[in-house]
Amino acid sequence: MLKDKKITLYVTGSIAIYKSLILARLLIKNGNEVKVVMTEDAQKFISPLTFQALTKNEVLTDVFVENDPKSISHIKTADDTDVAIIAPATANIIAKMANGIADDMASTTLLATQAPKFVIPSMNTHMLDNPATVRNLRQLSDDGITIMETANGLLAEGYTGKGRFPEPEEILNWLDSFFEAPLAGKNIVVTAGGTKERIDPVRYISNDSSGKMGIAIARAARNAGANVTLVVGSVSVKLPSGVKILKIESSTELLEETQKAFSSADALIMSAAVADFRPKRVVDHKIKKTADNDNLSIELVKNPDILKTLGSNKQDNQVMIGFAAETNDLIENAVKKIKNKNLDLIVANDVSDKRIGFNSNDNQVTYIFKDGKQVKSELASKDIIAKQIVDIMSQLLN
Ligand code: PMT
């Protein structure tokens, strides 16, 4: 549950702002210290005094008003934040956050904030569906910012659609779900991204993994209170804060680092896309084309199976979760892998579908348990799938 934290609540210019007053009250009731930052447009709907009276804290509105000469207020606020909540978040603040624009108190403080950020959008359906907003929300998600789905319902415009700001109690429940600490004191190893197997100094064999799935899992485990070690290969998204990062390139390095980290860990979630083969010989110079040779053969040798290696030595109290990335016979192949690698759970994903799997923002998976039980998830964001995996892992550990 979200309690006893220093929260900075950013309110922006949406008619739904009246619900943020209730949200602020609910957050305070749970023992949080709430400080509010308002945009200029937000102040056209509600006076800063209302939030000040409610939170008993100064409301920040202007980056050039410095009441304390000993500190710079937007930096102090950013540094003093445990959790940043942007609610309601208009298309405008989302666009600024996605592009690093800092032109007022809210956007400047957000840019300086390293604490986890939670965005609760509120806008008209068509604004939400606009490709620019879709792009900006995707960017925020890639930057590790957690976004709440908007509600479907009657909008201020008089018609029904998505984009509606959820009720404050729903927002609080959603936020609470990230701050349950079922994994407090647990050491969790997560692997993410793709491996690179060198052919020569400038060429390698790799795959399309973006790291989105594994990084979302690392964030979800961190939010659940775990000490997280992220062993990470090649990725195209931001690495999370608040976790120990071990960078690797090849499958051999991945095996070494994961083995070391797992020896004192409670659980491993292996989301990295590992090359099954590597060139037998790494050429020490760039391979040249020659006029007399139209073909080049590279002999490949099998890489060690990391999960299988770790699975054969795992302690009874350690939990191991693997993925199965399949283009055909998804369940059949995943069932073979859970047995072969001695796993507690395998997350089967169909990587032939471009909406899910490699480099997508969403995923749809089937959870297959050791006892044969199978549960198919909805199509959902990788953040939601990550939270489900972490919830299952908590149950398996406890
Ligand atoms: O990173 P994203 O773009 O978000 O994409 C996510 C993903 C598709 C990479 C991820 O969801 C996923 O499926 N990861 C596993 C990819 C994979 O290598 O699957 P596999 O079916 O080939 O391997 C089965 C399991 O064994 C995996 O947990 C894998 O990490 C592990 N493995 C594979 C080979 C090997 N030599 N050693 C291993 O331990």
Side-chain angles (χ1 to χ4, degrees):
M1 150 177 209
L2 178 52
K3 62 174 190 156
D4 306 329
K5 294 271 191 280
K6 284 190 254 174
I7 295 176
T8 307
L9 176 63
Y10 294 82
V11 288
T12 67
S14 153
I15 179 64
I17 194 170
Y18 67 96
K19 295 188 187 171
S20 291
L21 289 168
I22 305 166
L23 179 64
R25 265 192 57 191
L26 293 173
L27 290 167
I28 294 166
K29 219 169 126 192
N30 284 355
N32 298 293
E33 173 83 19
V34 176
K35 193 166 194 176
V36 173
V37 180
M38 294 181 85
T39 60
E40 207 176 315
D41 287 351
Q43 296 167 62
K44 292 185 179 142
F45 288 96
I46 285 183
S47 145
L49 190 62
T50 316
F51 278 107
Q52 182 179 305
L54 204 67
T55 61
K56 312 282 182 289
N57 275 319
E58 181 195 3
V59 173
L60 302 174
T61 56
D62 189 336
V63 80
F64 294 107
V65 173
E66 295 289 7
N67 290 330
D68 177 4
K70 292 199 181 64
S71 68
I72 299 166
S73 86
H74 65 279
I75 300 296
K76 185 168 186 298
T77 303
D79 289 348
D80 271 0
T81 300
D82 295 326
V83 180
I85 302 170
I86 304 90
T90 56
N92 194 41
I93 192 78
I94 288 168
K96 286 188 193 179
M97 288 173 75
N99 291 286
I101 294 171
D103 63 354
D104 65 357
M105 187 67 185
S107 53
T108 307
T109 312
L110 277 167
L111 196 64
T113 298
Q114 288 188 301
K117 299 184 185 95
F118 295 85
V119 167
I120 299 107
S122 167
M123 68 192 77
N124 170 272
T125 307
H126 307 310
M127 292 169 82
L128 188 68
D129 283 342
N130 186 292
T133 308
V134 171
R135 215 169 35 238
N136 290 332
L137 283 168
R138 189 176 309 137
Q139 184 61 55
L140 292 191
S141 172
D142 287 353
D143 291 344
I145 295 171
T146 312
I147 300 155
M148 187 176 183
E149 287 278 316
T150 58
N152 225 315
L154 187 65
L155 303 170
E157 295 80 350
Y159 54 85
T160 302
K162 59 180 179 181
R164 191 165 181 264
F165 192 62
E167 296 307 314
E169 290 77 9
E170 289 170 49
I171 298 176
L172 194 73
N173 285 341
W174 177 76
L175 288 166
D176 275 348
S177 70
F178 293 96
F179 291 89
E180 289 156 2
L183 294 178
K186 300 284 185 204
N187 297 320
I188 308 296
V189 183
V190 182
T191 70
T195 56
K196 287 182 182 173
E197 305 298 339
R198 288 275 156 202
I199 297 169
D200 70 14
V202 294
R203 301 184 180 96
Y204 51 78
I205 298 170
S206 191
N207 56 63
D208 283 335
S209 174
S210 62
K212 288 179 189 173
M213 190 67 249
I215 286 171
I217 295 170
R219 276 201 305 267
R222 175 204 65 194
N223 291 344
N227 305 315
V228 179
T229 301
L230 177 64
V231 191
V232 64
S234 123
V235 297
S236 61
V237 290
K238 192 175 169 251
L239 295 177
S241 58
V243 310
K244 182 176 172 191
I245 308 259
L246 300 174
K247 289 200 176 151
I248 56 93
E249 185 175 280
S250 64
S251 305
T252 314
E253 289 168 11
L254 180 61
L255 170 64
E256 274 168 27
E257 294 298 342
T258 308
Q259 202 161 25
K260 266 189 259 161
F262 187 55
S263 64
S264 56
D266 298 287
L268 166 68
I269 306 179
M270 189 85 189
S271 154
V274 192
D276 287 321
F277 295 92
R278 66 177 186 279
K280 184 171 183 184
R281 195 171 72 90
V282 182
V283 181
D284 63 5
H285 57 270
K286 184 180 169 209
I287 301 170
K288 295 276 176 223
K289 278 190 295 212
T290 51
D292 55 346
N293 200 345
D294 284 345
N295 300 310
L296 171 71
S297 299
I298 300 170
E299 192 182 346
L300 300 178
V301 291
K302 215 177 191 176
N303 272 327
D305 187 315
I306 300 172
L307 278 178
K308 199 170 174 184
T309 310
L310 300 182
S312 60
N313 290 315
K314 105 176 156 85
Q315 309 294 314
D316 286 347
N317 56 354
Q318 286 183 307
V319 166
M320 274 180 49
I321 298 177
F323 273 76
E326 306 294 342
T327 52
N328 54 289
D329 304 320
L330 177 70
I331 303 298
E332 204 182 314
N333 286 328
V335 167
K336 275 188 205 148
K337 283 180 183 168
I338 190 173
K339 288 198 181 119
N340 189 262
K341 295 170 193 259
N342 189 22
L343 305 177
D344 299 283
L345 176 81
I346 196 150
V347 183
N349 51 183
D350 177 355
V351 290
S352 68
D353 181 343
K354 291 288 163 222
R355 294 169 309 149
I356 57 179
F358 284 99
N359 200 18
S360 59
N361 288 314
D362 298 329
N363 210 349
Q364 180 166 34
V365 301
T366 302
Y367 301 110
I368 304 176
F369 294 79
K370 221 175 174 170
D371 62 6
K373 189 174 116 187
Q374 296 178 14
V375 180
K376 189 168 180 187
S377 81
E378 298 292 312
L379 174 68
S381 71
K382 283 189 173 166
D383 275 334
I384 291 179
I385 300 292
K387 177 134 193 338
Q388 290 173 0
I389 294 170
V390 167
D391 285 347
I392 297 174
M393 181 180 62
S394 307
Q395 285 164 19
L396 292 172
L397 278 169
N398 293 321

